Amino acid sequence: MRFSEAIQEFGFDCRARKLSDKTISNYQKQNWLKVLRDDKRFIVSAAGRAEKAVNLILNQ
């Protein structure tokens, strides 16, 4: 499953369960905190990928 498909499926699931935006936001925060706790290098890796994406967009 591609990332965009996963996001779309998540949105459908949230609407089906009638979750509020606040509930979704809290869930996302908890999930990101778990990811960051479990993988100490994740934020550095994500920042590096973000930099590459920006450079690609800006043609640098």
Side-chain angles (χ1 to χ4, degrees):
M1 177 182 299
R2 292 187 344 228
F3 180 73
S4 60
E5 293 168 338
I7 294 298
Q8 197 172 33
E9 188 173 317
F10 177 73
F12 291 142
D13 188 48
C14 290
R15 282 191 293 280
R17 295 171 189 253
K18 298 181 180 173
L19 298 175
S20 70
D21 289 341
K22 185 174 182 177
T23 300
I24 295 167
S25 178
N26 287 339
Y27 170 78
Q28 290 171 328
K29 288 175 191 172
Q30 290 172 2
N31 186 52
W32 278 114
L33 287 173
K34 181 181 182 326
V35 168
L36 293 171
R37 278 190 211 109
D38 291 350
D39 185 354
K40 304 297 183 205
R41 296 172 294 167
F42 179 83
I43 194 73
V44 174
S45 175
R49 290 179 185 180
E51 182 180 14
K52 286 180 184 178
V54 168
N55 289 339
L56 180 66
I57 291 168
L58 297 176
N59 295 317
Q60 295 181 351

